Amino acid sequence: MISHRLGTVVVVGVAIILPILGSGPAALAGVGGPIFVAAKPGAAAVRAVPARDGRCLPGARTLSRFGSHLYPDTGNGGYTSLHTDVHLVYDATADRFLPGNHVDLTEHAAECLTSFSLDFERKSLANSAAGPDMRVNSVTVNGHPARFGFVQPTYPGDPRGQNDPNPMAHEASQLNPVGGPGHNPLPPACSPELPSTDPALQNSQNGQQCPANKLVITPVSPITAGSMFTVDVDYTGRPGVHTDGDGTTEGWFRSSKPAGDGGFVTTEPVGTEDWMPLNDFPSAKPTYDFYDTVNAGKTVLANGTLASVRHNPPDARFPAGSVTWHWHSPAPVASYLVEDSVGSYDLTMRTADRGVRYYEALAGALSPAQKRQDLVIMNQQEDISDFQSLFNGTFPFTSDGVVVGIPSASFDEELQTMIMFSGGQINLDVLYHENMHQWWGDNVSESSYNLTFFKEGLATFGEYLFAARTAEAAAGGPHSMAGQRAFDRSLIKQFNSSYASKGSFWTAAPSNPTPFGLFAGDPTYTRPGVAYIALRQILGQANFVRALRQLQRDHRGASVTEPQLEAAFHRWLPVRSAACGARLDQFFSQWFDTAFPAGGLAHRPQVTGPGLAGPGFYGQGGCARLR
Ligand SMILES: [Zn+2]
């Protein structure tokens, strides 16, 4: 029930239906940036020469490592992101952020900073039609006006510093080194914005100059190491979508059904910076409050739980009145999982076991028949969460939700506690996938883009568990021996069918994708997905579940590296001898890190063969606990 009292909607825990109710100064900031020493690929950039005053330096303008070719322009160092207050003032009819639109970021300085940066694609050169066209009007740091400007990214670890005058230090590429028409031998500074998804064009933009999307902010005086500071960025204009390294778009999709409906947000991997300045890297995870003011009658959807809805009288910006929605996420949210959509939605909420709130939002313009069809699937989210909890442990957030919007965005996405389905339709298998992400990707995030396979593999494993659950139900249910055998048989069948794959199935290492291949099927989804089936077989169901739950406990609200991921499975290996540990290392190296020649058969992981059901699984040494 919702009661409208004093202009505020008070949300109570039963089923409810809500009525549908630029760029700044051109001067570059931070000239005289820090000096980096280039290390071998994969090693972290090392700061070598201190600034003249010996203490205070500009913050690093990337969180990527030297040699990275996956969105190396994103992320910002020298501070950690603690909390963000989003204050959108959005006219849905005009698709514009109006005066008063701003974000307040609370950061913790890890070092003394003369300047620091954020990521913000305020204007897209690659996509003038649907890309953003915004302007930063002012920036304050701790309440004091600060200088700001936009600069190009520089490849991580450039020994000539972040303001390297060499144009080759600021070029885009799928690859390291850049190559391209100029045969650039340096690593890329950003990922290219591809004009299409045609594989033949994937290297067509290598060597292009990177856009100046680094917002460098110089406070009046340096920020002391160890201090908390606040950054207020005031900006207006039209949000939009980012054209990324595989030719798809993500960010703020215009929703035009009905005309002037609003904006629909799906953002992986980097599109959040197309509607809001932020530290745009998956391991940067501030908590959030959203206080969004939109046209009267519009609904705002964001992460976490709905705290209040306040109706405002008409003013110069909203002559027909406006409404301010406050959503609160006490859990940290990774850069690509920030939800903040606006439109005409039927929004419902109900409180389930353990107080978890389930939100359902359906685009108001969908036909009644389509809504009924979508709701049949949406209503299964709590049951799906309960089932997935058997593996992952307790649901990690205070709320969960599903949104079905109309724009045909490039994909459906696991935005934290608010799973986004585009095109007006929802699919049950995809809901299992996206809901699995609430644990994997959302609560425990990847520490960098090349670990996307870690969470996509677990989400794909979530689909395999759904197929196994279906087989189990048909064979007598989870409490029957026949049902349990059918569950195992389904997983083994899935493994064996994928393991038999030939062609190019094994030719890309999951942990070393290009931007073009990051979301392109087998190496990111199927191969790691069936690797988790193998891990379940190796560890046994009980130990496998213990490993998953330990990862959830140890890295909750944060992110995980590949060694940390693998260490959790090592810990729960039934036989913890040195030989068995070495064999598990070999398993990870073959399944996650190796690019095999085409064709399959001998050119695929051998440590697992001849198949999960076979007696030779995982070798003859007895490391596995066969069931
Ligand atoms: Zn996924």
Side-chain angles (χ1 to χ4, degrees):
M1 177 181 70
I2 275 188
S3 66
H4 291 253
R5 277 189 297 144
L6 304 170
T8 299
V9 174
V10 179
V11 179
V12 184
V14 291
I16 54 142
I17 299 264
L18 287 179
I20 304 305
L21 305 172
S23 64
L28 298 191
V31 172
I35 307 298
F36 288 87
V37 167
K40 67 179 169 47
V46 180
R47 181 162 280 149
V49 183
R52 285 236 171 79
D53 67 4
R55 288 181 311 234
C56 302
L57 295 163
R61 294 178 205 154
T62 177
L63 288 175
S64 289
R65 295 174 167 205
F66 175 78
S68 168
H69 57 279
L70 281 171
Y71 302 96
D73 50 314
T74 60
N76 305 277
Y79 65 90
T80 50
S81 304
L82 302 180
H83 182 76
T84 300
D85 287 328
V86 180
H87 298 262
L88 298 190
V89 181
Y90 177 69
D91 180 351
T93 312
D95 194 27
R96 290 285 187 286
F97 294 142
L98 302 179
N101 187 81
H102 67 285
V103 290
D104 293 342
L105 307 106
T106 302
E107 325 279 30
H108 177 262
E111 54 201 68
C112 182
L113 294 166
T114 54
S115 69
F116 60 92
S117 52
L118 296 168
D119 301 293
F120 192 36
E121 183 171 45
R122 85 267 190 220
K123 201 174 287 254
S124 173
L125 299 177
N127 188 347
S128 58
D133 187 5
M134 298 178 284
R135 173 192 167 85
V136 174
N137 303 306
S138 65
V139 177
T140 66
V141 176
N142 290 331
H144 303 292
R147 277 199 300 140
F148 63 94
F150 284 90
V151 303
Q152 287 179 288
T154 307
Y155 74 86
D158 184 344
R160 301 178 71 183
Q162 304 193 105
N163 300 309
D164 188 342
N166 180 1
M168 284 186 161
H170 313 283
E171 290 183 358
S173 185
Q174 293 281 335
L175 309 164
N176 174 31
V178 168
H183 306 288
N184 182 352
L186 299 174
C190 69
S191 291
E193 299 179 71
L194 291 190
S196 87
T197 55
D198 180 355
L201 295 177
Q202 63 183 290
N203 289 311
S204 64
Q205 309 294 303
N206 293 358
Q208 288 221 335
Q209 285 291 307
C210 296
N213 293 343
K214 302 301 295 190
L215 171 55
V216 178
I217 296 166
T218 307
V220 283
S221 56
I223 298 162
T224 315
S227 66
M228 305 250 287
F229 63 103
T230 57
V231 188
D232 182 333
V233 183
D234 185 298
Y235 61 103
T236 48
R238 184 191 72 197
V241 293
H242 176 73
T243 303
D244 71 22
D246 64 11
T248 63
T249 53
E250 79 270 353
W252 187 284
F253 291 88
R254 178 65 165 144
S255 174
S256 300
K257 271 189 192 160
D261 183 51
F264 181 83
V265 169
T266 61
T267 47
E268 191 171 12
V270 298
T272 305
E273 66 174 278
D274 288 64
W275 59 270
M276 167 178 86
L278 79 162
N279 192 1
D280 198 2
F281 203 81
S283 61
K285 298 178 67 169
T287 54
Y288 277 89
D289 278 284
F290 303 85
Y291 306 89
D292 293 349
T293 300
V294 297
N295 315 63
K298 296 291 180 189
T299 299
V300 175
L301 305 169
N303 310 101
T305 54
L306 181 59
S308 66
V309 180
R310 193 183 70 232
H311 298 277
N312 311 308
D315 63 12
R317 297 174 304 184
F318 296 101
S322 63
V323 55
T324 302
W325 292 69
H326 175 198
W327 289 84
H328 172 62
S329 173
V333 184
S335 54
Y336 67 93
L337 299 170
V338 183
E339 163 58 359
D340 206 356
S341 293
V342 180
S344 299
Y345 286 95
D346 305 343
L347 175 65
T348 65
M349 189 280 283
R350 65 186 184 80
T351 302
D353 295 347
R354 296 184 300 278
V356 175
R357 295 177 183 185
Y358 283 87
Y359 291 95
E360 294 182 346
L362 266 169
L366 292 171
S367 71
Q370 184 67 53
K371 286 181 184 176
R372 276 195 300 275
Q373 200 177 315
D374 290 342
L375 276 171
V376 168
I377 293 172
M378 294 165 82
N379 289 341
Q380 297 182 49
Q381 190 175 31
E382 183 187 351
D383 172 64
I384 293 169
S385 284
D386 288 346
F387 170 68
Q388 293 177 337
S389 297
L390 298 175
F391 299 86
N392 305 323
T394 311
F395 186 74
F397 305 119
T398 55
S399 66
D400 200 2
V402 184
V403 179
V404 179
I406 291 180
S408 54
S410 311
F411 48 86
D412 305 319
E413 196 191 335
E414 69 272 22
L415 297 185
Q416 188 161 304
T417 70
M418 212 47 107
I419 296 168
M420 304 299 286
F421 285 84
S422 56
Q425 291 188 343
I426 180 170
N427 170 292
L428 184 57
D429 185 67
V430 179
L431 182 55
Y432 270 84
H433 175 110
E434 308 297 358
N435 204 67
M436 191 77 170
H437 273 310
Q438 298 302 312
W439 285 268
W440 306 109
D442 293 26
N443 188 37
V444 177
S445 302
E446 60 279 25
S447 58
S448 59
Y449 301 102
N450 77 311
L451 272 179
T452 299
F453 80 90
F454 133 73
K455 54 109 179 175
E456 292 305 338
L458 275 160
T460 304
F461 178 67
E463 296 176 62
Y464 301 154
L465 290 177
F466 168 43
R469 186 190 195 192
T470 306
E472 177 186 70
H479 302 297
S480 72
M481 285 298 288
Q484 288 165 22
R485 275 199 298 272
F487 189 95
D488 280 354
R489 258 201 317 275
S490 170
L491 291 178
I492 288 167
K493 190 172 158 213
Q494 176 63 52
F495 178 91
N496 287 338
S497 132
S498 297
Y499 189 64
S501 299
K502 296 174 183 164
S504 61
F505 186 89
W506 305 99
T507 59
S511 63
N512 188 28
T514 60
F516 189 81
L518 184 57
F519 298 100
D522 297 334
T524 298
Y525 296 87
T526 316
R527 181 163 154 186
V530 296
Y532 291 116
I533 295 179
L535 280 167
R536 176 178 176 270
Q537 200 77 4
I538 293 164
L539 270 59
Q541 163 76 9
N543 275 16
F544 178 70
V545 163
R546 289 186 182 108
L548 294 184
R549 293 179 176 196
Q550 181 175 357
L551 283 162
Q552 284 292 312
R553 274 195 309 275
D554 291 353
H555 304 283
R556 68 178 183 275
S559 58
V560 68
T561 64
E562 189 173 350
Q564 288 168 336
L565 172 71
E566 294 170 5
F569 295 107
H570 268 280
R571 176 171 167 190
W572 293 103
L573 200 54
V575 182
R576 297 190 65 192
S577 66
C580 290
R583 202 172 292 173
L584 189 58
D585 281 337
Q586 201 186 359
F587 171 90
F588 287 126
S589 150
Q590 292 187 2
W591 275 90
F592 292 167
D593 306 323
T594 301
F596 293 95
L601 300 174
H603 302 308
R604 61 180 173 170
Q606 297 301 311
V607 67
T608 332
L612 272 184
F617 172 70
Y618 204 43
Q620 299 296 329
C623 301
R625 180 172 290 166
L626 290 173
R627 301 187 303 148

